[in-house]
Amino acid sequence: YLGYAFSPLNLGLSLNVDQTNATVDESVAGSDKRIKRESSSSLKGASVFVRFMFGKYFYFEAAGGIYTEKTQVKNTFTSELGDGLFNGQEEEYTVNGMGPGYNVGGGLEVPMGNGFYFTTAYIVRIVQLRDTDKGSAFGGEKLAYRQAREIAFGIAHYVK
């Protein structure tokens, strides 16, 4: 977060980075077929935020901005033939997306002294991504709707 504070509002810019890696190994019941899926996703975004401070320590926050995501997927399909032999196929692909997003939430800032504050927040972030590999950022096919709930803790310092 980088912003300007004037009572009871704060305005500024926030940056968000989210990295997700997953491996899923599935087997078909009653069969020798297996599917292994490895995926890596990187979501980056920039938003303009406004905070409304109240009750000395509490705030509500709302923000809107633009997000990009790159997802890499590797699928491996195998089927055992017996005697240690197997048949398989592998596919890899990358998907790039971009789109608008917003977040809303609330939090708490408790003074620690010398301009430092302990801060915590509960934020709901919603992002709509569109395919940027097949057209413009906002005109491509819809790729994903992502909704995340976050609990954040940190230390803030305000410069006067």
Side-chain angles (χ1 to χ4, degrees):
Y1 290 95
L2 178 63
Y4 182 75
F6 53 95
S7 189
L9 294 177
N10 296 357
L11 298 173
L13 178 68
S14 66
L15 302 175
N16 179 273
V17 177
D18 183 12
Q19 181 73 33
T20 306
N21 297 308
T23 300
V24 177
D25 201 353
E26 301 173 349
S27 58
V28 179
S31 166
D32 295 332
K33 295 181 181 181
R34 297 186 71 178
I35 301 170
K36 182 177 181 181
R37 179 174 296 112
E38 298 173 12
S39 64
S40 174
S41 180
S42 177
L43 178 73
K44 298 174 184 172
S47 298
V48 175
F49 75 88
V50 62
R51 279 186 180 173
F52 172 70
M53 308 298 286
F54 68 96
K56 195 172 180 179
Y57 300 116
F58 301 97
Y59 65 86
F60 288 121
E61 176 182 316
I66 188 78
Y67 289 81
T68 64
E69 182 177 50
K70 180 178 182 179
T71 302
Q72 296 175 304
V73 179
K74 178 181 175 183
N75 293 321
T76 306
F77 307 94
T78 58
S79 181
E80 292 185 27
L81 301 174
D83 294 330
L85 299 173
F86 66 92
N87 203 4
Q89 151 182 358
E90 194 173 83
E91 70 177 1
E92 291 185 49
Y93 56 91
T94 300
V95 179
N96 294 299
M98 178 182 250
Y102 66 91
N103 66 272
V104 293
L108 170 74
E109 283 190 348
V110 179
M112 295 170 47
N114 295 326
F116 287 91
Y117 292 80
F118 171 77
T119 182
T120 184
Y122 175 76
I123 298 171
V124 176
R125 186 177 315 279
I126 297 173
V127 178
Q128 298 263 352
L129 297 170
R130 296 203 173 268
D131 190 352
T132 59
D133 293 331
K134 298 178 183 170
S136 69
F138 296 103
E141 280 184 47
K142 185 176 178 182
L143 283 179
Y145 167 84
R146 177 186 278 217
Q147 182 176 0
R149 288 165 169 56
E150 306 168 11
I151 297 177
F153 299 94
I155 303 226
H157 179 67
Y158 291 97
V159 180
K160 294 181 180 182

